[in-house]
Amino acid sequence: MKLIRFSQGDSKPRFGIVIGDRAVAFTTLTQRSGVAAPELSDSRAYLAGLPASELAARELAAWGEARLVEWPEGEKPKVQDVRLHEPVEVTALFDFGLTPRHLKSSAETMMRYEKDNPQTAPLLQAFATMVMTKPSAPPAGVPERLSYYKCNMNSIAGDGETIPWPLYTSRLDIEPELAVVYGNPQQPVAGFCIFNDVSARDVQAQELFGGFCLAKDMDKGNQLGPYLVTADEVGDPYALEVVVKVDGQVRYQGSTTEIDHKAEEVFAWLGFITSIKPGTVMGFGTIPDCTGLDHDDFLDPGAAIEICFERLGTLRCRFAQPAGRLLPSRWPLRPALQRFC
């Protein structure tokens, strides 16, 4: 199943499902069928009610699919005609670094620009060494330690968003990631979606130790969607092809095969620290070769971006034009940004 939160015009987001090329709210399905399903009233109730809520959703979807042709268009808008919000109401958002080759490539690109900076060069060297060093085995009964970044809960966005260009960066970048959505102890994996962790690269080295603030916490900097895809439809989430298109042309390509830990290991480590609540979303790490930082090949203001994951769909965004004059960057000015300085 592909679960969504969608709206039309100024209406509030509704929780629903994709049937064919249509977006159908569960409230419509329950009203039409006469079946009461409080566990489908919103995404929070759905996640807390797993696995029974998934079964209820499947049964209602099958009932609706057989009758959809009879319904008015207003009750079954085309997916392309609605606004797709983040597919679940997010309780917490964590971004893990479980793709070592991307981390290594990132440190190498940053070092090209930071090698003469006495403040950041040693940090990058230490970071690269840490990434490529296999950690020691944890004590008995303790899960393996997995580093993560706590994301800005005020900057979560859905599909088709225009991402404001922060005036403090000349290297705005995407970070395509596989994300898992936590359900509850009875069914921990509710499903998977695409996560785009937007990043300002020319300020990131300064924040390697102390927290990614300027680098990660900009408006609409945590993009999720377009759907929550249930595990049965995803198949093997660690064997998905990834393609990034910019202005309609293929720019980057990669695969989820380079994720080096699975959801169960992520849950084990996070659960060792704190109780995991339904609606917690965890990114596994940036897909290698799928960012500007991996290639030192950055995107320009106005770029239209499509992040395509096999079986998970396409998450779209656009980088806005800077709304004012860019602040000076510590990295060389790119020609495409000269008119903003």
Side-chain angles (χ1 to χ4, degrees), residues 314-325:
T314 297
L315 185 62
R316 302 165 298 124
C317 71
R318 181 181 294 275
F319 281 170
Q321 305 282 345
R325 190 170 182 176

Side-chain angles (χ1 to χ4, degrees), residues 262-285:
K262 293 181 167 53
E264 293 74 17
E265 296 167 281
V266 171
F267 296 157
W269 175 246
L270 193 56
F272 180 71
I273 301 168
T274 183
S275 299
I276 309 177
K277 297 184 182 300
T280 298
V281 180
M282 287 152 272
F284 288 91

